[in-house]
Amino acid sequence: MNSRFPTFLGLLVMVLLVGASCKPIAMKMKIRSEKAKLHTKTFGDMNVVYCGMHHFGRPAFYEDVAGIVDSMRQAGYTIFYEGVVHAVPGEYTEEEILLSKFKARRMAGRWATLDDYGEKFGREDGSIIAQPPSTELSIDTLIDINADVTTWEMVEVYEKRYGEIELTEDDQVPLDSSYFKIPLPSSRQILLNYRDYRIAQQVLESGEKN
């Protein structure tokens, strides 16, 4: 995504990983697809069914994902999904959360939303659209499990490993402002590898078998 979220393995669950390949050729193939690909891996009596995701594509693709989620839930699977939130509600002040957002944006070099993908890659005829919200993909946020990390955690881990993220005045412009910088060194270690590890860890430690 401009992808940052690779695959992982875990338990007998359905995992929606909101991510896509960084490779242009692979991306072109994916956005043309109308069917989601599933990958299964088994460890003893535990296995994971992994469903890939990309930020923009054909409407039929997202309809297929929603259908898969519904059918997997009806079959008794526990649904895990990926989606970064900024902080656990109530743990930090609004000022602290905003600071972590600025630092996360500086770390990644940009701040992109699904609406941004729609504006950049969507087509007027509706043949290519931005990824719909998780609730439109049959995700039930009351019972399904968001296995992702928070923006706060990513920033915290980055600073523990590589030092404080220093912000200049132009790093603190509103989040909806035009902003693009070269990502910080080793940022991919957090945005890719650490997130992968933590998501897999949460799934494995959940104790869910179906």
Side-chain angles (χ1 to χ4, degrees):
M1 223 172 299
N2 288 332
S3 150
R4 297 194 163 109
F5 321 122
T7 63
F8 63 92
L9 305 175
L11 300 170
L12 178 60
V13 292
M14 168 66 186
V15 180
L16 276 186
L17 186 60
V18 185
S21 172
C22 297
K23 299 177 181 179
I25 293 177
M27 176 63 79
K28 288 179 181 179
M29 293 176 65
K30 285 185 176 182
I31 65 173
R32 293 172 183 162
S33 174
E34 295 188 351
K35 295 290 183 181
K37 290 186 177 181
L38 302 181
H39 305 277
T40 303
K41 186 72 176 181
T42 302
F43 299 94
D45 63 348
M46 300 183 299
N47 69 63
V48 77
V49 179
Y50 163 76
C51 178
M53 179 60 62
H54 41 269
H55 282 327
F56 55 95
R58 296 188 183 279
F61 171 84
Y62 299 112
E63 292 170 6
D64 189 50
V65 170
I68 290 170
V69 174
D70 281 335
S71 64
M72 297 296 278
R73 184 182 290 109
Q74 291 173 13
Y77 280 60
T78 300
I79 310 299
F80 286 78
Y81 64 99
E82 182 181 277
V84 172
V85 295
H86 301 301
V88 177
E91 286 192 0
Y92 306 99
T93 66
E94 291 185 7
E95 291 77 11
E96 289 174 327
I97 293 174
L98 181 60
L99 179 62
S100 77
K101 291 179 180 180
F102 287 151
K103 288 188 173 184
R105 179 175 64 178
R106 179 65 196 94
M107 179 171 59
R110 64 188 180 86
W111 185 267
T113 66
L114 293 180
D115 287 340
D116 293 331
Y117 284 102
E119 291 178 8
K120 185 173 182 178
F121 300 108
R123 296 179 182 173
E124 292 185 2
D125 63 1
S127 61
I128 299 294
I129 62 173
Q131 174 194 326
S134 57
T135 52
E136 294 181 24
L137 298 174
S138 296
I139 294 295
D140 186 334
T141 56
L142 295 178
I143 61 174
D144 299 332
I145 301 170
N146 185 337
D148 215 328
V149 300
T150 63
T151 302
W152 185 279
E153 181 179 349
M154 286 192 290
V155 169
E156 186 175 53
V157 171
Y158 183 94
E159 292 190 326
K160 284 182 178 178
R161 291 185 183 181
Y162 308 113
E164 183 177 356
I165 298 173
E166 298 182 357
L167 300 176
T168 61
E169 185 175 342
D170 63 325
D171 291 325
Q172 301 178 66
V173 296
L175 294 171
D176 59 359
S177 302
S178 177
Y179 181 95
F180 182 81
K181 287 190 174 183
I182 297 173
L184 293 181
S186 302
S187 61
R188 288 173 62 87
Q189 293 297 320
I190 305 302
L191 299 170
L192 284 169
N193 299 340
Y194 177 76
R195 286 187 65 195
D196 248 10
Y197 164 76
R198 286 290 289 121
I199 292 169
Q201 183 182 48
Q202 287 202 55
V203 173
L204 289 167
E205 292 179 354
S206 71
E208 299 288 349
K209 292 188 178 180
N210 55 40

